[in-house]
Amino acid sequence: MNQFTSMQLASAIDMPDYVLDKFHAFELRGMYYPDDNPELDCLLRSLSDKEASKQAQRKLVEWLKSSPVDNAEGFGMLYCMLTCAARYSYPLYKQAGIDDAVFVATMKDFTRFTRESLSRFGRYRFDRDFWMYHHLCLTLFRLGTLEYEYAYDSSEIPEAFGVMACMKLHIPSDATLSVQAVDRSLEMKDEFLSQHFPQWLSLPMTCESWMLEPSLAQILPEDSRILAFQRRFKLVGVEPSEDWREFIFNTSPLPVSELPERTTLQRNMKHYLLAGGSFGDGLGILH
């Protein structure tokens, strides 16, 4: 494909019909149209520039607040980000010779987060713009079951890693952590970097995740896929975090004593916490 429109991209990444209807209404009303708004166009272009993307996301938040447009439930932001992906990020993919399948797989994170909001909040919404700008400036890619991000902002790299730049490995909520799937993703990462970003190949591969928390060895059975994944890393630290609420208990704000026990992991985790255990995010470097 030579180019995407915002709506074509939204369809290609399987955005829910409810959200597509919102986007269609935006277009009928002439909302969020960069050609008619130089300030918006500049912000969207900046989102695709890794040196400016972080600041552009913050400015876009303010632009949406001050503009007489509808950003209810974050759909205005979502539409703007997908417009950036279609208009500016995709041509950069093409220039770099990156396959369309990688582009679509990477942009499907927009859909994944939007769909997950339905189970968490009872309605579709988009609130991950603070994270998704990484996907727009060609520093983060979905390759198989895992995602890989080139990180060079020291403020976003824990001191425990002792580096100024690294490749961050991310574990999407829909990742399959079988040995075969993880091995294949790591192979895809090596192939992808060798072809497109060879300067990143020598960087250490780091991971910050609740899945690397060492106390999981007390919570999960020895043959757990999560523990097998954890053993791929050298642990260099643990940071305080309540990410486990989001990823294990679907963002439940309930007191620990009232957390659900629908899965073995939830039940064992709850009992561990009630017994006085602490839990954070493990920091690991891939062996």
Side-chain angles (χ1 to χ4, degrees), residues 59-276:
K59 289 181 178 179
L60 184 56
V61 169
E62 296 307 311
W63 185 87
L64 287 164
K65 287 179 182 177
S66 61
S67 300
V69 291
D70 178 13
N71 188 39
E73 306 300 344
F75 293 136
M77 173 64 80
L78 178 57
Y79 183 82
C80 286
M81 284 190 142
L82 288 180
T83 299
C84 168
R87 179 175 285 226
Y88 295 117
S89 303
Y90 182 64
L92 293 175
Y93 268 72
K94 299 297 283 186
Q95 289 175 24
I98 300 173
D99 193 88
D100 283 5
V102 175
F103 176 74
V104 171
T106 301
M107 297 306 155
K108 276 189 174 182
D109 263 11
F110 284 103
T111 306
R112 178 168 61 85
F113 286 129
T114 301
R115 290 189 180 278
E116 287 175 352
S117 69
L118 185 61
S119 64
R120 289 177 179 169
F121 308 110
R123 63 190 185 281
Y124 287 120
R125 61 183 295 189
F126 178 70
D127 60 359
R128 298 305 176 102
D129 52 286
F130 68 88
W131 170 246
M132 290 300 297
Y133 71 88
H134 293 90
H135 298 58
L136 300 175
C137 59
L138 278 72
T139 58
L140 186 151
F141 304 92
R142 177 87 183 239
L143 302 169
T145 198
L146 301 171
E147 293 178 341
Y148 303 90
E149 176 199 359
Y150 169 55
Y152 62 96
D153 182 344
S154 59
S155 68
E156 297 182 355
I157 301 175
E159 290 185 9
F161 290 134
V163 296
M164 299 298 292
C166 62
M167 292 300 298
K168 289 187 175 184
L169 183 154
H170 300 292
I171 312 158
S173 59
D174 61 350
T176 299
L177 291 184
S178 67
V179 171
Q180 296 82 358
V182 174
D183 282 348
R184 179 55 189 143
S185 180
L186 291 170
E187 290 170 0
M188 291 173 70
K189 176 263 300 179
D190 288 341
E191 295 165 1
F192 179 82
L193 294 185
S194 295
Q195 183 175 357
H196 302 292
F197 302 100
Q199 68 273 26
W200 298 351
L201 270 171
S202 61
L203 295 174
M205 181 67 60
T206 68
C207 184
E208 309 157 43
S209 174
W210 67 271
M211 291 191 187
L212 301 191
E213 160 64 66
S215 59
L216 281 170
Q218 305 174 47
I219 297 171
L220 295 171
E222 188 175 347
D223 61 354
S224 161
R225 286 183 174 183
I226 291 177
L227 292 183
F229 179 80
Q230 187 182 99
R231 287 191 284 269
R232 294 174 182 265
F233 295 84
K234 174 187 176 182
L235 187 71
V236 296
V238 178
E239 288 191 337
S241 171
E242 287 209 345
D243 281 356
W244 53 267
R245 282 192 176 272
E246 176 178 351
F247 296 108
I248 300 177
F249 294 100
N250 203 27
T251 320
S252 173
L254 293 172
V256 172
S257 61
E258 298 177 26
L259 288 172
E261 299 183 33
R262 300 186 186 97
T263 68
T264 300
L265 176 57
Q266 287 181 342
R267 181 169 58 255
N268 292 349
M269 178 72 168
K270 179 177 176 179
H271 293 174
Y272 170 79
L273 294 170
L274 287 173

